[in-house]
Amino acid sequence: MTEQPSRRLLLVHAHPDDESINNGATMARYATQGAQVTLVTCTLGERGEVIPPRLRHLTGAALGAHRLTELRSALGELGVTDVRLLGGAGRYGDSGMMGLPDNDAPDCFWQADLDEAAGRLAEVVTEVRPQVLVTYDDNGGYGHPDHIQAHRVAMRAVELAADAGWSVPKVYWNRIPRSVAEAAFARLRTELPGLPFARSGSVDDLPGVVDDDRITTAVDGTAHAAAKAAAMRAHATQIEVAEPWFALSNEQAQPLFTTEHYELVRGPRPDTRETDLFAGLAPEEAS
């Protein structure tokens, strides 16, 4: 059996593009350093709104298939080779935005049986044996049903994997410190006239913004800014990039962060802010 890398990071995301927006710099940094970086994506994002007019004919399964190619291209930019589709490609459908009839589709992720979906993820956890798992908070960052479900599935999978023999030492939720978000939007307002975006978003539009004292970890990925931007560009149906800014289908500009922030929710909370997701692991945990 091939020996596993000493550091192993597992990220759980709802749709293709979430990984690059939230964690692209982190993934590139650890992949470059030789860590095993595994991404689990729960849906293909079949209900995403397509930005380029030339691609707007893509809907449903065709859009999902296209977004899978975008995902693979994005991971190539980040240097990540291990991507899993939860239950296999198309097993769980995109649930659409909260409150829409799409949420009631029997095959959508929002309607998935929690223990069944978490059991599938737990199999990945026990295979990869990550020391670090990253996902969303209990609101999915911004209330999207697939993000909320990804949180639930990830946290339940950690429990099931522990029962099966692998206890994940550290679990993090994606975060953005409020002070960082506010400063970035202040800069954006001054630069907006020269950007290809009609208007600016706001701090309230960003997922996972919390008061600064909630932040336990800041991963400096500025050396991998170009890789993150390239990965986001690969998701061309969903993202328009004008570094260091980008916009989604709402055409509202927002910051492209290359230092990515986290809140440690499983594992001893550090006394000072960490700069490494693997900080503080005992030797026996890094094996």
Side-chain angles (χ1 to χ4, degrees):
M1 184 175 70
T2 303
E3 184 177 351
Q4 290 182 308
S6 61
R7 295 191 300 170
R8 301 176 298 277
L9 168 64
L10 176 65
L11 304 101
V12 181
H13 277 292
H15 316 103
D17 81 4
D18 292 325
E19 80 297 326
S20 297
I21 295 170
N22 287 277
N23 312 114
T26 298
M27 295 171 74
R29 169 176 157 169
Y30 286 113
T32 298
Q33 292 176 356
Q36 172 67 44
V37 179
T38 299
L39 170 68
V40 176
T41 301
C42 298
T43 82
L44 294 177
E46 301 91 339
R47 300 189 186 279
E49 296 182 13
V50 177
I51 295 174
R54 62 184 176 82
L55 296 175
R56 287 180 187 164
H57 64 282
L58 294 170
T59 59
L63 177 57
H66 186 86
R67 292 189 69 180
L68 180 55
T69 67
E70 292 182 336
L71 176 62
R72 288 172 173 154
S73 295
L75 295 182
E77 298 290 352
L78 300 176
V80 174
T81 59
D82 188 12
V83 58
R84 319 289 180 95
L85 286 304
L86 186 64
R91 173 62 183 83
Y92 298 110
D94 188 337
S95 307
M97 299 300 289
M98 186 67 82
L100 296 179
D102 301 331
N103 304 164
D104 299 323
D107 62 343
C108 79
F109 191 44
W110 184 238
Q111 295 295 330
D113 179 86
L114 177 59
D115 276 356
E116 177 185 286
R120 296 177 188 275
L121 180 57
E123 292 176 1
V124 178
V125 174
T126 55
E127 174 195 341
V128 174
R129 300 197 308 160
Q131 297 101 340
V132 177
L133 184 147
V134 172
T135 191
Y136 315 105
D137 65 15
D138 55 1
N139 190 44
Y142 71 110
H144 191 294
D146 287 334
H147 287 240
I148 294 171
Q149 187 76 319
H151 160 85
R152 294 172 177 171
V153 167
M155 300 306 288
R156 179 62 176 141
V158 169
E159 296 174 349
L160 295 176
D163 292 341
W166 181 254
S167 182
V168 180
K170 302 181 82 175
V171 175
Y172 290 92
W173 293 346
N174 294 306
R175 293 298 194 193
I176 301 173
R178 189 169 301 279
S179 67
V180 170
E182 289 174 347
F185 276 107
R187 292 194 303 273
L188 173 56
R189 286 191 290 272
T190 67
E191 296 187 21
L192 189 62
L195 297 177
F197 309 119
R199 56 194 185 279
S200 170
S202 69
V203 171
D204 292 340
D205 298 323
L206 298 184
V209 174
V210 293
D211 292 341
D212 289 33
D213 61 3
R214 295 279 298 273
I215 305 299
T216 60
T217 313
V219 176
D220 184 354
T222 52
H224 307 282
K228 175 169 180 169
M232 290 173 64
R233 281 195 181 93
H235 291 288
T237 60
Q238 306 299 304
I239 306 173
E240 182 179 359
V241 178
E243 295 173 72
W245 318 105
F246 74 99
L248 302 174
S249 59
N250 61 11
E251 300 180 345
Q252 295 183 4
Q254 58 179 291
L256 190 162
F257 294 111
T258 55
T259 293
E260 295 166 344
H261 294 84
Y262 302 90
E263 180 181 1
L264 180 66
V265 296
R266 179 185 172 97
R269 192 175 180 94
D271 294 329
T272 59
R273 187 175 289 186
E274 302 171 318
T275 59
D276 179 7
L277 295 177
F278 294 89
L281 289 172
E284 63 269 19
E285 293 173 312
S287 62

